[in-house]
């Protein structure tokens, strides 16, 4: 259920839900689906994503809204996610090339153990801002707030924190960034 609903466009999921009767919507399962769709609507293309504040490896708070950038790439990952870590190596040249033009990456680790998180950052040489609430996918985590269905998961937002794309990875990002940052 989680991955199916979360990987679906919010509008399509809502249309599907509207086909269901009130009796089904009021079941335990129906209420779960309604809640997941409401979460998904917070991060659908065009929506202003919710702010979050989490700790950097040094323990300092960092918030999305306090992070400047014309285009911000929100990257959910974990030290145990091999695909995430491969993607980071591909992102590094993009970050170096476009950072001065207003591209910023904010990586949010879903790790629950600080030492694994910090070791992965150091080993992979990720110079962009890193945060973690060290809650993994708990209901109170940043991952839950952003409807993260599986890793890796990304959300691309503009300077006003409005969603440009979800679940966008290197292959699409490398072609999309030049257009988004044109004029600078």
């Amino acid at each position: 259920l989680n991955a199916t609903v979360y990987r679906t466009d919010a509008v399509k999921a809502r249309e599907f839900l509207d086909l269901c009767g009130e009796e089904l919507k009021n079941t335990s399962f129906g209420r779960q689906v309604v809640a997941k769709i409401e979460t998904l609507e917070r991060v659908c293309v065009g929506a202003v994503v919710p702010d979050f504040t989490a700790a950097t490896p040094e323990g300092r708070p960092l918030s999305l809204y306090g992070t400047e950038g014309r285009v911000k790439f929100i990257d959910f990952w974990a030290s145990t996610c091999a695909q995430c870590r491969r993607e980071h190596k591909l992102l590094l040249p993009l970050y170096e090339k476009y950072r001065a033009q207003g591209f910023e990456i904010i990586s949010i680790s879903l790790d629950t153990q600080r030492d694994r998180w910090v070791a992965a950052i150091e080993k992979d040489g990720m110079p962009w801002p890193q945060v973690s609430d060290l809650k993994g996918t708990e209901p109170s985590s940043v991952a839950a707030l952003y409807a993260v269905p599986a890793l890796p998961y990304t959300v691309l937002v503009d300077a006003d924190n409005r969603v440009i794309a979800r679940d966008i990875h290197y292959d699409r990002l490398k072609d999309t960034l030049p257009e988004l940052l044109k004029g600078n």
Side-chain angles (χ1 to χ4, degrees):
L1 171 67
N2 284 352
T4 302
V5 172
Y6 284 151
R7 295 264 187 210
T8 302
D9 176 79
V11 173
K12 289 179 185 173
R14 179 63 71 181
E15 287 172 359
F16 177 75
L17 180 67
D18 289 344
L19 296 173
C20 300
E22 289 304 312
E23 187 175 329
L24 178 60
K25 290 179 192 177
N26 288 320
T27 65
S28 174
F29 178 75
R31 287 190 298 276
Q32 288 177 20
V33 171
V34 168
K36 290 184 185 316
I37 290 172
E38 288 171 353
T39 301
L40 184 60
E41 288 172 335
R42 288 195 305 254
V43 294
C44 69
V45 172
V48 175
V49 293
D51 194 13
F52 63 81
T53 299
T56 65
E58 299 77 30
R60 291 189 307 271
L62 182 127
S63 73
L64 173 65
Y65 287 10
T67 302
E68 292 188 24
R70 290 179 53 210
V71 176
K72 298 182 237 182
F73 186 74
I74 306 167
D75 164 49
F76 290 91
W77 72 289
S79 62
T80 56
C81 173
Q83 186 177 349
C84 300
R85 298 188 61 189
R86 280 191 300 273
E87 190 89 5
H88 291 153
K89 293 189 183 317
L90 297 171
L91 290 173
L92 186 56
L94 287 180
Y95 185 70
E96 291 170 347
K97 182 175 183 176
Y98 293 110
R99 185 162 192 263
Q101 295 175 45
F103 176 56
E104 188 59 80
I105 299 173
I106 302 105
S107 285
I108 304 162
S109 170
L110 273 57
D111 283 289
T112 57
Q113 296 179 8
R114 185 183 182 286
D115 58 333
R116 287 185 179 179
W117 169 47
V118 172
I121 294 168
E122 290 173 9
K123 183 174 182 183
D124 295 352
M126 296 181 283
W128 52 83
Q130 301 282 334
V131 297
S132 183
D133 54 18
L134 296 175
K135 293 181 180 180
T137 58
E138 288 181 19
S140 62
S141 70
V142 177
L145 182 66
Y146 274 72
V148 175
L151 295 178
Y153 182 72
T154 60
V155 181
L156 189 65
V157 300
D158 64 16
D160 297 320
N161 301 301
R162 190 168 303 280
V163 178
I164 299 167
R166 291 181 326 129
D167 214 15
I168 183 172
H169 298 284
Y170 173 77
D171 289 337
R172 268 187 48 216
L173 185 62
K174 71 178 173 50
D175 296 332
T176 303
L177 268 180
E179 188 65 30
L180 293 173
L181 296 169
K182 194 185 308 186
N184 224 17

